[in-house]
Amino acid sequence: MSRPARPGPWPPAASSQPQTQHQPLSWAKRTAFKNAPISTSGQISTPNTTPTPPPPDLESGPTTNAALALPPPPTNAIASASGTQHTSVKRSNGGANGASKDRNPSAGQRQRDSSAPLPRLRDREVVQEDHDELPQRHPHVVTYSLKDSPGLVPIVYYGLQHYLSILGSLILIPLVIVPAMGGSYEDRAAVVSTVLLVSGLTTLLHTLLGTRLPLVQGPSFVYLAPALSLINSPEFQALNQNNFKHIMKELQGALIIAAAFQAIIGYTGVMALLLRLISPIVVSSTIAALGLSFFSYGFTQVGACLEIGILQILLVFIFSLYLRKIKLFGYRVFLIYAVPLGLGITWAIAFVLTETGVYSYKGCDANIPASNNVSEYCRKHVTRMKHCRANTSHALRDAPWFRFPYPLQWGTPVFNWKMALVMCLVSIIASVDSVGCYHASSLLVAERPPTAGVVSRGIGMEGITSLLAGLWGTGVGSSTLTENVHTIAVTKMGSRRAVQFGAVLLILISLIGKVGGFIASIPDVMVAALLCFMWAMLAALGLSNLRYSSNGSSRNSIVVGLALFFSLSVPAYFQQYGLNPNSNVSVPSYFLPYVVASHGPFHTPYAGVNYVLNTLLSFNMVIAFVIAFVLDNTVPGSRQERGAYVWSKSEAARREPAVVKDYQLPFNISRFFGCVKWVGL
């Protein structure tokens, strides 16, 4: 009697029987479950194909428990989608529940099956999970996937939408670090224009030569804490003039060396080795600690002008939470544009109050430093007005209509080994952050997650983009913006072309000097209020990576809890060590955590070593990464419990045309880099 044909690798071999065509789906929709377990006796468990409802839209309204309930135990055998091993199962046409007729496949057959490429699941097909792994819930399904081209008008709309939704991540960091460096309104406007230009250039590079995922590159919050530590270093406290340019050149030198280091660990394949040790537990703890670490800056600055700061926070809360389900013209406008809408309304109110004289200085001289003002009333009133007023006269009057930011515009970079070493180690944290973004975004927009080689290529390209940021002088390194994942999930737009078109618009806008001047006029209190929301979102997005692991695992809960607690407690010890509460420190109170290099507990004979150790161990994200990394890789736990990221296999990816189109470099560039293993798939 003839035996039924064995399911083969994808794509299937040519057959005389007609093949059913299926609509292409996102990788996440087809790979929510893992391989069926194989018993030690050689028998293959035979799960059943069970129709599952389409993934719920978590933003459309309440979802019943039944909608999120796990599917019933499958009984049919289908292809596995875990990417680790492909096991073929033979089914009998007349066997009960699809029982396997050949219970003991030959060793040669098993060997052929294990070398098969990643299978592609058809719509509404799931597979049986390992007994020790909890299933992952489906993420949002995008309307336009990675390679889709929705048309010229939609591309323009979605390109603008994508960048407007992450506007805060692009413009807020320059508005924090430039005043800390003693820069003027003109310096602030110039740095904002530079950030917009570099973000557009680096996004184009990453979508063309990096991972090719639709991820925006921009100033990273990972580099903000080390930048503030460098700005508040003891050697810069005595500067009386040209503080901004001098400190910017020091930052540029440190960023250039750190960028070269990151490019090396990416293109040499070192990052591919580290991927085996980086799990969602490590990523979630690190990113969450990064978001929580700036609490001393947030509401401390908001309190300088409570009515404007609290109004800004409340508007963003109302738009993003209470009005998130309201649709205008078919789109959740309030959810997508919560930050720019809140910013625009609050800025307009502050501008009206300023122009009508409510926020006037009332006879006090704003040009006299508060410390030199004789009148107690003027000393307090002038300080408060400077935070409340939306005065565009300085920025708009002095900013040119056309300005081209060029490399080394602040002068020749200054290279300092101790500051460069701190930035090099922080670049590893930025790489860990990007790994989580690559995996999460690929679940939404791509046919498969990227291979380890593609991830390494992306990290190497981020090193090059940070090098460009260092040469142009943005103040911080460039990295994948974590908010991208949230934006893609909310807007349902995962088209690479839309992001690239938006990057081109960003470059053009950066050349208009008045735009940078207008952004530079945003009051400091509004910047702090928006950062309160952005950093809270960053912590939430970090913790969302835990959905890839076993949510009920006590092991994971303890590891994450320890990492987060000590990420707050240990840096507090370093920041407070040896600091006299009554001392007259020349920096504002919200910058005190970043002056630890001068009073930390390490006091070796080598000043450079003291600087590096005291500074690094005062960073919340560094402590969280170290604790989570060590515990997650030493405490016993299965890959399923840890939720270890599953990356596509290079050999299997090369045999799938859809995956090749997703991640292969354009214009056959890979053939020119045959000696570099990590440039291709």
Side-chain angles (χ1 to χ4, degrees):
M1 185 172 102
S2 62
R3 301 167 67 180
R6 173 178 64 85
W10 189 274
S15 171
S16 59
Q17 298 181 357
Q19 299 290 334
T20 304
Q21 299 295 327
H22 298 277
Q23 184 70 20
L25 300 167
S26 69
W27 181 86
K29 193 172 182 181
R30 299 191 300 271
T31 57
F33 300 93
K34 304 298 181 183
N35 277 350
I38 302 178
S39 64
T40 55
S41 62
Q43 296 182 355
I44 306 174
S45 55
T46 56
N48 200 12
T49 303
T50 305
T52 58
D57 186 350
L58 301 182
E59 296 294 345
S60 60
T63 306
T64 62
N65 292 334
L68 295 178
L70 300 182
T75 55
N76 291 14
I78 64 170
S80 163
S82 67
T84 55
Q85 185 181 12
H86 175 68
T87 306
S88 64
V89 180
K90 301 191 175 192
R91 293 188 294 177
S92 170
N93 294 332
N97 297 326
S100 173
K101 177 172 281 189
D102 187 357
R103 295 286 185 177
N104 296 287
S106 64
Q109 178 180 331
R110 287 195 299 268
Q111 183 176 4
R112 289 193 302 273
D113 295 342
S114 64
S115 62
L118 291 170
R120 185 177 301 192
L121 284 182
R122 294 189 292 270
D123 190 16
R124 298 183 181 278
E125 287 187 345
V126 296
V127 293
Q128 176 69 31
E129 290 231 88
D130 290 343
H131 66 281
D132 59 345
E133 179 181 8
L134 295 179
Q136 303 170 9
R137 292 176 181 173
H138 291 285
H140 297 260
V141 176
V142 294
T143 304
Y144 295 100
S145 60
L146 186 61
K147 301 184 295 294
D148 290 342
S149 180
L152 179 60
V153 174
I155 279 182
V156 174
Y157 170 75
Y158 286 117
L160 286 171
Q161 178 192 70
H162 198 94
Y163 285 85
L164 282 175
S165 62
I166 58 174
L167 179 66
S169 300
L170 292 174
I171 66 172
L172 293 182
I173 290 183
L175 301 182
V176 173
I177 64 173
V178 175
M181 288 189 284
S184 62
Y185 276 105
E186 294 77 15
D187 296 327
R188 195 186 306 192
V191 174
V192 168
S193 297
T194 303
V195 165
L196 296 179
L197 174 68
V198 173
S199 180
L201 290 174
T202 53
T203 300
L204 288 176
L205 285 175
H206 191 84
T207 54
L208 286 173
L209 304 176
T211 62
R212 309 210 69 204
L213 291 168
L215 298 175
V216 177
Q217 307 295 297
S220 174
F221 286 117
V222 176
Y223 292 97
L224 180 57
L228 291 176
S229 297
L230 189 150
I231 292 170
N232 292 284
S233 296
E235 53 262 43
F236 299 144
Q237 299 301 318
L239 294 177
N240 295 322
Q241 56 183 356
N242 294 327
N243 298 38
F244 169 74
K245 287 189 176 181
H246 185 84
I247 298 175
M248 179 62 81
K249 290 187 289 185
E250 295 271 359
L251 279 172
Q252 287 182 267
L255 286 173
I256 289 172
I257 295 177
F261 171 77
Q262 188 179 19
I264 290 173
I265 66 174
Y267 285 122
T268 57
V270 174
M271 195 64 208
L273 301 177
L274 292 177
L275 288 180
R276 304 175 185 177
L277 305 176
I278 297 174
S279 73
I281 307 298
V282 179
V283 173
S284 62
S285 303
T286 305
I287 301 177
L290 173 63
L292 296 173
S293 62
F294 298 105
F295 67 91
S296 63
Y297 181 89
F299 205 80
T300 305
Q301 279 283 76
V302 172
C305 185
L306 280 174
E307 64 269 26
I308 294 297
I310 292 181
L311 175 63
Q312 173 76 86
I313 293 175
L314 288 178
L315 284 176
V316 177
F317 281 4
I318 291 171
F319 292 151
S320 61
L321 295 175
Y322 296 99
L323 303 181
R324 72 185 191 279
K325 298 174 186 175
I326 297 178
K327 293 185 178 181
L328 297 177
F329 308 106
Y331 296 96
R332 296 189 180 93
V333 176
F334 296 106
L335 176 62
I336 297 173
Y337 304 116
V339 170
L341 279 176
L343 177 63
I345 294 174
T346 310
W347 187 92
I349 293 174
F351 180 79
V352 171
L353 293 176
T354 301
E355 293 299 316
T356 55
V358 176
Y359 286 154
S360 66
Y361 289 109
K362 298 180 180 179
C364 299
D365 191 348
N367 298 320
I368 300 177
S371 57
N372 298 337
N373 207 314
V374 178
S375 171
E376 179 69 19
Y377 169 79
C378 287
R379 192 158 48 236
K380 294 181 179 180
H381 183 71
V382 168
T383 303
R384 182 171 178 270
M385 290 302 100
K386 284 183 176 179
H387 288 89
C388 294
R389 290 172 60 87
N391 192 347
T392 60
S393 59
H394 293 290
L396 290 181
R397 182 183 65 243
D398 299 331
W401 277 104
F402 176 81
R403 183 182 185 278
F404 179 74
Y406 54 92
L408 305 181
Q409 57 189 323
W410 315 119
T412 305
V414 177
F415 298 95
N416 188 314
W417 74 267
K418 61 181 182 181
M419 297 175 182
L421 182 58
V422 170
M423 284 292 187
C424 286
L425 297 178
V426 168
S427 69
I428 298 177
I429 308 294
S431 301
V432 172
D433 182 8
S434 297
V435 165
C437 294
Y438 296 166
H439 187 271
S441 61
S442 69
L443 294 179
L444 297 173
V445 302
E447 290 286 332
R448 296 284 187 274
T451 65
V454 172
V455 174
S456 295
R457 187 177 75 201
I459 298 301
M461 179 52 63
E462 287 196 13
I464 293 178
T465 57
S466 287
L467 179 64
L468 296 180
L471 289 174
W472 257 269
T474 61
V476 293
S478 178
S479 180
T480 298
L481 298 181
T482 309
E483 295 81 358
N484 274 263
V485 179
H486 172 73
T487 300
I488 294 173
V490 170
T491 62
K492 305 295 189 293
M493 168 51 63
S495 171
R496 180 193 297 140
R497 294 186 180 181
V499 173
Q500 290 173 338
F501 181 83
V504 173
L505 290 180
L506 209 63
I507 294 173
L508 296 177
I509 291 174
S510 70
L511 303 180
I512 305 175
K514 296 295 184 182
V515 173
F518 181 77
I519 295 175
S521 69
I522 298 175
D524 294 341
V525 67
M526 290 175 55
V527 174
L530 283 179
L531 284 173
C532 287
F533 178 80
M534 299 300 299
W535 287 329
M537 279 290 298
L538 191 62
L541 290 172
L543 292 175
S544 69
N545 281 272
L546 292 174
R547 70 184 182 270
Y548 303 120
S549 61
S550 295
N551 295 331
S553 169
S554 60
R555 170 196 180 275
N556 296 346
S557 300
I558 293 173
V559 170
V560 174
L562 289 173
L564 289 181
F565 176 80
F566 284 105
S567 72
L568 297 175
S569 186
V570 173
Y573 165 75
F574 275 80
Q575 294 163 7
Q576 298 171 11
Y577 185 90
L579 186 63
N580 185 358
N582 298 322
S583 62
N584 185 17
V585 184
S586 59
V587 298
S589 60
Y590 46 82
F591 283 151
L592 286 179
Y594 309 108
V595 298
V596 66
S598 60
H599 60 80
F602 284 97
H603 295 286
T604 67
Y606 306 99
V609 174
N610 297 338
Y611 179 93
V612 171
L613 293 178
N614 287 325
T615 302
L616 280 176
L617 295 178
S618 68
F619 294 157
N620 307 71
M621 57 187 175
V622 172
I623 300 298
F625 170 74
V626 171
I627 292 178
F629 184 85
V630 172
L631 292 181
D632 188 55
N633 288 283
T634 56
V635 176
S638 65
R639 287 179 57 85
Q640 290 78 12
E641 184 179 15
R642 296 173 58 211
Y645 290 127
V646 177
W647 307 104
S648 297
K649 301 294 183 182
S650 299
E651 297 78 8
R654 293 190 187 99
R655 290 195 290 266
E656 297 198 42
V659 182
V660 172
K661 290 181 181 179
D662 281 344
Y663 297 112
Q664 192 175 47
L665 295 176
F667 314 120
N668 246 350
I669 295 177
S670 299
R671 64 180 180 179
F672 297 106
F673 299 94
C675 59
V676 184
K677 179 181 179 182
W678 307 105
V679 169
L681 290 178

